[in-house]
């Protein structure tokens, strides 16, 4: 449980581009959303475990803009304004919203 696919990407502290989650090692710091503080922070990876996920039950969470997030049905997610996580498989269209981080090109306005 609590799985992401090995080709999912995360931001590591000190890296300029995201890396695949299957390349993350204990001791590295991953960019996370801190729902208690309401912002982003780097958090140390304490342990890394991999397993054959072919027997896991997966869900594709598709956001309003077409973004697709793959995870196991029991992966905990925090919905907007939630105090505690719910399982990804329990998300409901039209009821739940997820806060996402977007990196977009921004035109230079002035020099």
């Amino acid at each position: 449980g609590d799985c992401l696919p090995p080709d999912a990407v995360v931001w590591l502290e000190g890296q300029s581009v995201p890396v695949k989650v299957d390349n993350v090692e204990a001791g590295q710091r991953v960019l996370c959303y801190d729902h208690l503080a309401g912002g982003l922070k780097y958090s140390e990876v304490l342990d890394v475990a991999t397993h054959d996920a072919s027997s896991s039950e997966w869900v594709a969470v598709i956001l309003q803009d077409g973004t697709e997030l793959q995870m196991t049905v029991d992966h905990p997610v925090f919905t907007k304004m939630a105090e505690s996580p719910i399982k990804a498989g329990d998300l409901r269209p039209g009821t739940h919203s997820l806060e996402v981080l977007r990196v977009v090109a921004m035109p230079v306005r002035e020099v």
Side-chain angles (χ1 to χ4, degrees):
D2 297 357
C3 289
L4 300 174
D7 60 346
V9 295
V10 295
W11 290 91
L12 291 177
E13 188 173 44
Q15 300 290 321
S16 60
V17 295
V19 299
K20 289 185 178 181
V21 73
D22 65 348
N23 293 327
V24 175
E25 300 174 358
Q28 291 179 307
R29 293 171 52 87
V30 176
L31 186 62
C32 301
Y33 182 76
D34 182 343
H35 69 279
L36 296 175
L40 297 172
K41 73 173 190 177
Y42 284 98
S43 184
E44 184 176 350
V45 175
L46 301 177
D47 188 28
V48 176
T50 59
H51 67 279
D52 178 12
S54 62
S55 63
S56 296
E57 188 176 352
W58 293 87
V59 64
V61 177
I62 303 173
L63 305 180
Q64 187 68 36
D65 68 355
T67 300
E68 184 173 324
L69 308 169
Q70 295 281 334
M71 62 193 77
T72 55
V73 295
D74 59 349
H75 186 81
V77 292
F78 279 89
T79 59
K80 185 170 175 65
M81 306 302 285
E83 293 184 18
S84 60
I86 65 170
K87 294 178 180 181
D90 293 336
L91 290 169
R92 296 291 167 250
T95 301
H96 296 112
S97 294
L98 302 180
E99 294 185 322
V100 297
L101 172 66
R102 288 259 181 228
V103 177
V104 296
M106 185 62 61
V108 175
R109 178 178 166 180
E110 191 175 315
V111 177

